[in-house]
PDB file of all heavy atoms in Angstrom:
ATOM      1  N   GLY A  15     -90.529  37.548 -40.840  1.00  0.00           N
ATOM      2  CA  GLY A  15     -89.929  36.579 -39.924  1.00  0.00           C
ATOM      3  C   GLY A  15     -89.036  35.629 -40.630  1.00  0.00           C
ATOM      4  O   GLY A  15     -89.412  35.113 -41.721  1.00  0.00           O
ATOM      5  N   ALA A  16     -87.836  35.423 -40.112  1.00  0.00           N
ATOM      6  CA  ALA A  16     -86.855  34.535 -40.729  1.00  0.00           C
ATOM      7  C   ALA A  16     -86.441  33.409 -39.846  1.00  0.00           C
ATOM      8  O   ALA A  16     -85.305  32.966 -39.813  1.00  0.00           O
ATOM      9  CB  ALA A  16     -85.644  35.354 -41.227  1.00  0.00           C
ATOM     10  N   GLY A  17     -87.432  32.918 -39.042  1.00  0.00           N
ATOM     11  CA  GLY A  17     -87.207  31.691 -38.277  1.00  0.00           C
ATOM     12  C   GLY A  17     -87.528  30.508 -39.235  1.00  0.00           C
ATOM     13  O   GLY A  17     -87.632  30.631 -40.451  1.00  0.00           O
ATOM     14  N   GLY A  18     -87.760  29.350 -38.586  1.00  0.00           N
ATOM     15  CA  GLY A  18     -88.066  28.143 -39.393  1.00  0.00           C
ATOM     16  C   GLY A  18     -89.277  28.282 -40.291  1.00  0.00           C
ATOM     17  O   GLY A  18     -89.237  27.952 -41.470  1.00  0.00           O
ATOM     18  N   SER A  19     -90.344  28.872 -39.739  1.00  0.00           N
ATOM     19  CA  SER A  19     -91.597  28.934 -40.562  1.00  0.00           C
ATOM     20  C   SER A  19     -91.433  30.002 -41.656  1.00  0.00           C
ATOM     21  O   SER A  19     -91.829  29.771 -42.805  1.00  0.00           O
ATOM     22  CB  SER A  19     -92.770  29.266 -39.705  1.00  0.00           C
ATOM     23  OG  SER A  19     -92.603  30.511 -39.047  1.00  0.00           O
ATOM     24  N   SER A  38     -86.712  40.351 -41.341  1.00  0.00           N
ATOM     25  CA  SER A  38     -86.436  39.851 -40.001  1.00  0.00           C
ATOM     26  C   SER A  38     -86.008  41.018 -39.114  1.00  0.00           C
ATOM     27  O   SER A  38     -85.035  41.695 -39.470  1.00  0.00           O
ATOM     28  CB  SER A  38     -85.384  38.781 -40.042  1.00  0.00           C
ATOM     29  OG  SER A  38     -84.794  38.589 -38.803  1.00  0.00           O
ATOM     30  N   LYS A  39     -86.613  41.190 -37.925  1.00  0.00           N
ATOM     31  CA  LYS A  39     -86.161  42.262 -37.097  1.00  0.00           C
ATOM     32  C   LYS A  39     -84.818  41.944 -36.412  1.00  0.00           C
ATOM     33  O   LYS A  39     -84.122  42.834 -36.041  1.00  0.00           O
ATOM     34  CB  LYS A  39     -87.229  42.751 -36.164  1.00  0.00           C
ATOM     35  CG  LYS A  39     -87.535  41.969 -34.925  1.00  0.00           C
ATOM     36  CD  LYS A  39     -88.634  42.713 -34.162  1.00  0.00           C
ATOM     37  CE  LYS A  39     -88.895  42.160 -32.803  1.00  0.00           C
ATOM     38  NZ  LYS A  39     -90.013  42.839 -32.157  1.00  0.00           N
ATOM     39  N   SER A  40     -84.533  40.649 -36.305  1.00  0.00           N
ATOM     40  CA  SER A  40     -83.221  40.276 -35.755  1.00  0.00           C
ATOM     41  C   SER A  40     -82.270  40.022 -36.883  1.00  0.00           C
ATOM     42  O   SER A  40     -82.604  40.106 -38.083  1.00  0.00           O
ATOM     43  CB  SER A  40     -83.380  39.020 -34.907  1.00  0.00           C
ATOM     44  OG  SER A  40     -84.252  38.063 -35.518  1.00  0.00           O
ATOM     45  N   ALA A  45     -83.049  33.667 -34.918  1.00  0.00           N
ATOM     46  CA  ALA A  45     -84.485  33.594 -34.618  1.00  0.00           C
ATOM     47  C   ALA A  45     -84.659  32.585 -33.515  1.00  0.00           C
ATOM     48  O   ALA A  45     -83.715  31.894 -33.153  1.00  0.00           O
ATOM     49  CB  ALA A  45     -85.243  33.132 -35.862  1.00  0.00           C
ATOM     50  N   HIS A  46     -85.837  32.476 -32.927  1.00  0.00           N
ATOM     51  CA  HIS A  46     -86.022  31.512 -31.849  1.00  0.00           C
ATOM     52  C   HIS A  46     -85.749  30.085 -32.313  1.00  0.00           C
ATOM     53  O   HIS A  46     -85.324  29.285 -31.498  1.00  0.00           O
ATOM     54  CB  HIS A  46     -87.462  31.624 -31.307  1.00  0.00           C
ATOM     55  CG  HIS A  46     -87.460  32.470 -30.093  1.00  0.00           C
ATOM     56  ND1 HIS A  46     -87.404  33.805 -30.178  1.00  0.00           N
ATOM     57  CD2 HIS A  46     -87.457  32.131 -28.806  1.00  0.00           C
ATOM     58  CE1 HIS A  46     -87.400  34.300 -28.949  1.00  0.00           C
ATOM     59  NE2 HIS A  46     -87.422  33.315 -28.106  1.00  0.00           N
ATOM     60  N   THR A  47     -86.007  29.849 -33.564  1.00  0.00           N
ATOM     61  CA  THR A  47     -85.796  28.492 -34.074  1.00  0.00           C
ATOM     62  C   THR A  47     -84.382  28.038 -33.757  1.00  0.00           C
ATOM     63  O   THR A  47     -84.150  26.868 -33.480  1.00  0.00           O
ATOM     64  CB  THR A  47     -86.088  28.454 -35.564  1.00  0.00           C
ATOM     65  OG1 THR A  47     -87.418  28.998 -35.767  1.00  0.00           O
ATOM     66  CG2 THR A  47     -86.002  27.082 -36.143  1.00  0.00           C
ATOM     67  N   MET A  49     -82.713  28.543 -31.233  1.00  0.00           N
ATOM     68  CA  MET A  49     -82.539  28.132 -29.815  1.00  0.00           C
ATOM     69  C   MET A  49     -83.142  26.776 -29.491  1.00  0.00           C
ATOM     70  O   MET A  49     -82.979  26.195 -28.424  1.00  0.00           O
ATOM     71  CB  MET A  49     -83.252  29.174 -28.911  1.00  0.00           C
ATOM     72  CG  MET A  49     -82.572  30.520 -28.931  1.00  0.00           C
ATOM     73  SD  MET A  49     -83.703  31.832 -28.418  1.00  0.00           S
ATOM     74  CE  MET A  49     -83.822  31.477 -26.681  1.00  0.00           C
ATOM     75  N   ALA A  50     -83.938  26.219 -30.471  1.00  0.00           N
ATOM     76  CA  ALA A  50     -84.590  24.970 -30.212  1.00  0.00           C
ATOM     77  C   ALA A  50     -83.600  23.864 -29.968  1.00  0.00           C
ATOM     78  O   ALA A  50     -82.615  23.708 -30.724  1.00  0.00           O
ATOM     79  CB  ALA A  50     -85.532  24.588 -31.346  1.00  0.00           C
ATOM     80  N   GLU A  51     -83.804  23.091 -28.927  1.00  0.00           N
ATOM     81  CA  GLU A  51     -82.773  22.168 -28.457  1.00  0.00           C
ATOM     82  C   GLU A  51     -83.125  20.710 -28.763  1.00  0.00           C
ATOM     83  O   GLU A  51     -82.434  19.996 -29.408  1.00  0.00           O
ATOM     84  CB  GLU A  51     -82.563  22.379 -26.938  1.00  0.00           C
ATOM     85  CG  GLU A  51     -82.013  23.760 -26.665  1.00  0.00           C
ATOM     86  CD  GLU A  51     -82.236  24.257 -25.244  1.00  0.00           C
ATOM     87  OE1 GLU A  51     -82.953  23.551 -24.483  1.00  0.00           O
ATOM     88  OE2 GLU A  51     -81.702  25.279 -24.856  1.00  0.00           O
ATOM     89  N   GLY A  52     -84.351  20.330 -28.309  1.00  0.00           N
ATOM     90  CA  GLY A  52     -84.684  18.904 -28.238  1.00  0.00           C
ATOM     91  C   GLY A  52     -84.834  18.225 -29.593  1.00  0.00           C
ATOM     92  O   GLY A  52     -84.330  17.120 -29.803  1.00  0.00           O
ATOM     93  N   GLY A  53     -85.517  18.854 -30.520  1.00  0.00           N
ATOM     94  CA  GLY A  53     -85.700  18.190 -31.793  1.00  0.00           C
ATOM     95  C   GLY A  53     -87.033  18.502 -32.459  1.00  0.00           C
ATOM     96  O   GLY A  53     -87.844  19.287 -31.948  1.00  0.00           O
ATOM     97  N   THR A 172     -84.806  44.505 -39.956  1.00  0.00           N
ATOM     98  CA  THR A 172     -85.836  45.388 -40.424  1.00  0.00           C
ATOM     99  C   THR A 172     -87.160  45.025 -39.727  1.00  0.00           C
ATOM    100  O   THR A 172     -87.533  43.847 -39.768  1.00  0.00           O
ATOM    101  CB  THR A 172     -86.012  45.241 -41.962  1.00  0.00           C
ATOM    102  OG1 THR A 172     -84.733  45.481 -42.575  1.00  0.00           O
ATOM    103  CG2 THR A 172     -87.035  46.210 -42.543  1.00  0.00           C
ATOM    104  N   ILE A 174     -91.185  45.379 -39.083  1.00  0.00           N
ATOM    105  CA  ILE A 174     -92.505  45.781 -39.647  1.00  0.00           C
ATOM    106  C   ILE A 174     -93.404  46.292 -38.530  1.00  0.00           C
ATOM    107  O   ILE A 174     -93.555  45.585 -37.502  1.00  0.00           O
ATOM    108  CB  ILE A 174     -93.159  44.627 -40.380  1.00  0.00           C
ATOM    109  CG1 ILE A 174     -92.327  44.207 -41.602  1.00  0.00           C
ATOM    110  CG2 ILE A 174     -94.583  45.004 -40.839  1.00  0.00           C
ATOM    111  CD1 ILE A 174     -92.072  45.280 -42.626  1.00  0.00           C
ATOM    112  N   THR A 209     -93.753  35.526 -37.276  1.00  0.00           N
ATOM    113  CA  THR A 209     -93.036  36.344 -36.306  1.00  0.00           C
ATOM    114  C   THR A 209     -92.806  35.689 -34.944  1.00  0.00           C
ATOM    115  O   THR A 209     -92.229  36.292 -34.064  1.00  0.00           O
ATOM    116  CB  THR A 209     -93.785  37.659 -36.074  1.00  0.00           C
ATOM    117  OG1 THR A 209     -95.123  37.287 -35.757  1.00  0.00           O
ATOM    118  CG2 THR A 209     -93.761  38.563 -37.250  1.00  0.00           C
ATOM    119  N   TYR A 225     -89.559  38.376 -29.070  1.00  0.00           N
ATOM    120  CA  TYR A 225     -90.913  37.842 -28.923  1.00  0.00           C
ATOM    121  C   TYR A 225     -91.895  38.790 -28.255  1.00  0.00           C
ATOM    122  O   TYR A 225     -92.328  38.617 -27.161  1.00  0.00           O
ATOM    123  CB  TYR A 225     -90.769  36.501 -28.129  1.00  0.00           C
ATOM    124  CG  TYR A 225     -90.718  35.337 -29.080  1.00  0.00           C
ATOM    125  CD1 TYR A 225     -90.301  35.517 -30.412  1.00  0.00           C
ATOM    126  CD2 TYR A 225     -91.043  34.042 -28.674  1.00  0.00           C
ATOM    127  CE1 TYR A 225     -90.246  34.418 -31.280  1.00  0.00           C
ATOM    128  CE2 TYR A 225     -90.954  32.973 -29.553  1.00  0.00           C
ATOM    129  CZ  TYR A 225     -90.557  33.167 -30.829  1.00  0.00           C
ATOM    130  OH  TYR A 225     -90.528  32.128 -31.736  1.00  0.00           O
ATOM    131  N   ASP A 228     -95.467  40.631 -32.218  1.00  0.00           N
ATOM    132  CA  ASP A 228     -95.708  41.574 -33.352  1.00  0.00           C
ATOM    133  C   ASP A 228     -96.695  41.009 -34.375  1.00  0.00           C
ATOM    134  O   ASP A 228     -97.598  41.716 -34.802  1.00  0.00           O
ATOM    135  CB  ASP A 228     -94.370  41.895 -34.027  1.00  0.00           C
ATOM    136  CG  ASP A 228     -93.407  42.674 -33.160  1.00  0.00           C
ATOM    137  OD1 ASP A 228     -93.716  42.820 -31.971  1.00  0.00           O
ATOM    138  OD2 ASP A 228     -92.366  43.105 -33.655  1.00  0.00           O
ATOM    139  N   LEU A 263     -84.230  28.296 -20.717  1.00  0.00           N
ATOM    140  CA  LEU A 263     -84.792  26.934 -20.824  1.00  0.00           C
ATOM    141  C   LEU A 263     -83.803  25.830 -20.473  1.00  0.00           C
ATOM    142  O   LEU A 263     -82.621  25.892 -20.789  1.00  0.00           O
ATOM    143  CB  LEU A 263     -85.251  26.672 -22.283  1.00  0.00           C
ATOM    144  CG  LEU A 263     -86.085  25.427 -22.457  1.00  0.00           C
ATOM    145  CD1 LEU A 263     -87.473  25.686 -21.853  1.00  0.00           C
ATOM    146  CD2 LEU A 263     -86.198  24.998 -23.892  1.00  0.00           C
ATOM    147  N   HIS A 390     -93.028  30.028 -22.135  1.00  0.00           N
ATOM    148  CA  HIS A 390     -92.234  29.455 -23.226  1.00  0.00           C
ATOM    149  C   HIS A 390     -92.838  29.572 -24.564  1.00  0.00           C
ATOM    150  O   HIS A 390     -92.110  29.781 -25.568  1.00  0.00           O
ATOM    151  CB  HIS A 390     -92.019  27.954 -22.815  1.00  0.00           C
ATOM    152  CG  HIS A 390     -91.162  27.208 -23.781  1.00  0.00           C
ATOM    153  ND1 HIS A 390     -89.844  27.581 -24.059  1.00  0.00           N
ATOM    154  CD2 HIS A 390     -91.361  26.084 -24.493  1.00  0.00           C
ATOM    155  CE1 HIS A 390     -89.330  26.700 -24.916  1.00  0.00           C
ATOM    156  NE2 HIS A 390     -90.215  25.809 -25.219  1.00  0.00           N
ATOM    157  N   TYR A 391     -94.138  29.422 -24.688  1.00  0.00           N
ATOM    158  CA  TYR A 391     -94.709  29.213 -26.008  1.00  0.00           C
ATOM    159  C   TYR A 391     -96.201  29.658 -25.940  1.00  0.00           C
ATOM    160  O   TYR A 391     -96.848  29.486 -24.917  1.00  0.00           O
ATOM    161  CB  TYR A 391     -94.649  27.751 -26.394  1.00  0.00           C
ATOM    162  CG  TYR A 391     -95.132  27.466 -27.815  1.00  0.00           C
ATOM    163  CD1 TYR A 391     -94.228  27.478 -28.859  1.00  0.00           C
ATOM    164  CD2 TYR A 391     -96.436  27.138 -28.060  1.00  0.00           C
ATOM    165  CE1 TYR A 391     -94.654  27.193 -30.160  1.00  0.00           C
ATOM    166  CE2 TYR A 391     -96.875  26.872 -29.346  1.00  0.00           C
ATOM    167  CZ  TYR A 391     -95.992  26.875 -30.392  1.00  0.00           C
ATOM    168  OH  TYR A 391     -96.431  26.636 -31.668  1.00  0.00           O
ATOM    169  N   GLU A 415     -95.238  29.751 -34.795  1.00  0.00           N
ATOM    170  CA  GLU A 415     -95.752  30.035 -33.454  1.00  0.00           C
ATOM    171  C   GLU A 415     -96.816  31.157 -33.463  1.00  0.00           C
ATOM    172  O   GLU A 415     -97.673  31.196 -32.609  1.00  0.00           O
ATOM    173  CB  GLU A 415     -94.608  30.406 -32.492  1.00  0.00           C
ATOM    174  CG  GLU A 415     -95.058  30.434 -31.060  1.00  0.00           C
ATOM    175  CD  GLU A 415     -93.942  30.460 -30.063  1.00  0.00           C
ATOM    176  OE1 GLU A 415     -92.803  30.074 -30.372  1.00  0.00           O
ATOM    177  OE2 GLU A 415     -94.201  30.928 -28.890  1.00  0.00           O
ATOM    178  N   GLY A 428     -91.288  19.373 -29.363  1.00  0.00           N
ATOM    179  CA  GLY A 428     -90.861  18.846 -30.698  1.00  0.00           C
ATOM    180  C   GLY A 428     -91.879  19.067 -31.766  1.00  0.00           C
ATOM    181  O   GLY A 428     -91.563  19.072 -32.943  1.00  0.00           O
ATOM    182  N   SER A 430     -93.279  21.884 -32.442  1.00  0.00           N
ATOM    183  CA  SER A 430     -93.190  23.187 -33.042  1.00  0.00           C
ATOM    184  C   SER A 430     -92.261  23.152 -34.276  1.00  0.00           C
ATOM    185  O   SER A 430     -92.642  23.638 -35.352  1.00  0.00           O
ATOM    186  CB  SER A 430     -92.700  24.248 -32.065  1.00  0.00           C
ATOM    187  OG  SER A 430     -92.487  25.459 -32.752  1.00  0.00           O
ATOM    188  N   LEU A 431     -91.101  22.546 -34.110  1.00  0.00           N
ATOM    189  CA  LEU A 431     -90.219  22.558 -35.277  1.00  0.00           C
ATOM    190  C   LEU A 431     -90.810  21.888 -36.489  1.00  0.00           C
ATOM    191  O   LEU A 431     -90.643  22.357 -37.615  1.00  0.00           O
ATOM    192  CB  LEU A 431     -88.895  21.868 -34.892  1.00  0.00           C
ATOM    193  CG  LEU A 431     -87.999  22.619 -33.906  1.00  0.00           C
ATOM    194  CD1 LEU A 431     -86.619  21.943 -33.791  1.00  0.00           C
ATOM    195  CD2 LEU A 431     -87.826  24.094 -34.269  1.00  0.00           C
ATOM    196  N   LEU A 434     -93.423  24.229 -37.987  1.00  0.00           N
ATOM    197  CA  LEU A 434     -92.872  25.328 -38.792  1.00  0.00           C
ATOM    198  C   LEU A 434     -92.663  24.849 -40.256  1.00  0.00           C
ATOM    199  O   LEU A 434     -92.922  25.569 -41.183  1.00  0.00           O
ATOM    200  CB  LEU A 434     -91.500  25.746 -38.268  1.00  0.00           C
ATOM    201  CG  LEU A 434     -91.338  26.088 -36.794  1.00  0.00           C
ATOM    202  CD1 LEU A 434     -89.900  26.457 -36.530  1.00  0.00           C
ATOM    203  CD2 LEU A 434     -92.269  27.177 -36.406  1.00  0.00           C
TER     204      LEU A 434
HETATM  205  P1  FAD B 701     -88.961  32.365 -34.855  1.00  0.00           P
HETATM  206  O1  FAD B 701     -87.989  31.286 -35.160  1.00  0.00           O
HETATM  207  O2  FAD B 701     -88.834  32.972 -33.531  1.00  0.00           O
HETATM  208  O3  FAD B 701     -88.749  33.514 -35.866  1.00  0.00           O
HETATM  209  C1  FAD B 701     -89.472  34.733 -35.722  1.00  0.00           C
HETATM  210  C2  FAD B 701     -88.856  35.681 -36.680  1.00  0.00           C
HETATM  211  O4  FAD B 701     -89.721  36.814 -36.777  1.00  0.00           O
HETATM  212  C3  FAD B 701     -87.518  36.236 -36.303  1.00  0.00           C
HETATM  213  O5  FAD B 701     -86.720  36.347 -37.462  1.00  0.00           O
HETATM  214  C4  FAD B 701     -87.816  37.646 -35.816  1.00  0.00           C
HETATM  215  O6  FAD B 701     -86.750  38.538 -35.918  1.00  0.00           O
HETATM  216  C5  FAD B 701     -88.956  38.007 -36.749  1.00  0.00           C
HETATM  217  N1  FAD B 701     -89.834  39.083 -36.326  1.00  0.00           N
HETATM  218  C6  FAD B 701     -90.625  39.169 -35.220  1.00  0.00           C
HETATM  219  N2  FAD B 701     -91.321  40.332 -35.251  1.00  0.00           N
HETATM  220  C7  FAD B 701     -90.962  40.966 -36.376  1.00  0.00           C
HETATM  221  C8  FAD B 701     -91.355  42.220 -36.956  1.00  0.00           C
HETATM  222  N3  FAD B 701     -92.197  43.046 -36.373  1.00  0.00           N
HETATM  223  N4  FAD B 701     -90.761  42.602 -38.138  1.00  0.00           N
HETATM  224  C9  FAD B 701     -89.854  41.765 -38.729  1.00  0.00           C
HETATM  225  N5  FAD B 701     -89.490  40.602 -38.242  1.00  0.00           N
HETATM  226  C10 FAD B 701     -90.042  40.207 -37.079  1.00  0.00           C
HETATM  227  N6  FAD B 701     -89.693  23.636 -30.342  1.00  0.00           N
HETATM  228  C11 FAD B 701     -89.545  22.353 -30.768  1.00  0.00           C
HETATM  229  O7  FAD B 701     -90.331  21.831 -31.537  1.00  0.00           O
HETATM  230  N7  FAD B 701     -88.493  21.624 -30.331  1.00  0.00           N
HETATM  231  C12 FAD B 701     -87.572  22.095 -29.486  1.00  0.00           C
HETATM  232  O8  FAD B 701     -86.652  21.428 -29.153  1.00  0.00           O
HETATM  233  C13 FAD B 701     -87.700  23.440 -29.032  1.00  0.00           C
HETATM  234  N8  FAD B 701     -86.821  24.000 -28.167  1.00  0.00           N
HETATM  235  C14 FAD B 701     -86.947  25.335 -27.817  1.00  0.00           C
HETATM  236  C15 FAD B 701     -85.996  25.943 -26.994  1.00  0.00           C
HETATM  237  C16 FAD B 701     -86.104  27.279 -26.646  1.00  0.00           C
HETATM  238  C17 FAD B 701     -85.069  27.903 -25.768  1.00  0.00           C
HETATM  239  C18 FAD B 701     -87.183  28.036 -27.134  1.00  0.00           C
HETATM  240  C19 FAD B 701     -87.361  29.490 -26.726  1.00  0.00           C
HETATM  241  C20 FAD B 701     -88.134  27.460 -27.937  1.00  0.00           C
HETATM  242  C21 FAD B 701     -88.027  26.102 -28.279  1.00  0.00           C
HETATM  243  N9  FAD B 701     -88.981  25.483 -29.111  1.00  0.00           N
HETATM  244  C22 FAD B 701     -88.841  24.182 -29.522  1.00  0.00           C
HETATM  245  C23 FAD B 701     -90.061  26.308 -29.708  1.00  0.00           C
HETATM  246  C24 FAD B 701     -89.636  26.699 -31.099  1.00  0.00           C
HETATM  247  O9  FAD B 701     -88.233  26.967 -31.139  1.00  0.00           O
HETATM  248  C25 FAD B 701     -90.370  27.930 -31.564  1.00  0.00           C
HETATM  249  O10 FAD B 701     -91.719  27.801 -31.322  1.00  0.00           O
HETATM  250  C26 FAD B 701     -90.156  28.093 -33.052  1.00  0.00           C
HETATM  251  O11 FAD B 701     -88.793  28.107 -33.341  1.00  0.00           O
HETATM  252  C27 FAD B 701     -90.767  29.367 -33.569  1.00  0.00           C
HETATM  253  O12 FAD B 701     -90.465  29.493 -34.896  1.00  0.00           O
HETATM  254  P2  FAD B 701     -91.096  30.617 -35.820  1.00  0.00           P
HETATM  255  O13 FAD B 701     -90.629  30.415 -37.159  1.00  0.00           O
HETATM  256  O14 FAD B 701     -92.558  30.673 -35.581  1.00  0.00           O
HETATM  257  O15 FAD B 701     -90.502  31.928 -35.125  1.00  0.00           O
END
Side-chain angles (χ1 to χ4, degrees):
S19 59
S38 160
K39 79 180 189 183
S40 42
H46 262 77
T47 305
M49 293 158 73
E51 294 159 353
T172 304
I174 296 300
T209 51
Y225 266 22
D228 295 7
L263 192 73
H390 183 57
Y391 184 91
E415 191 168 339
S430 173
L431 291 190
L434 309 180

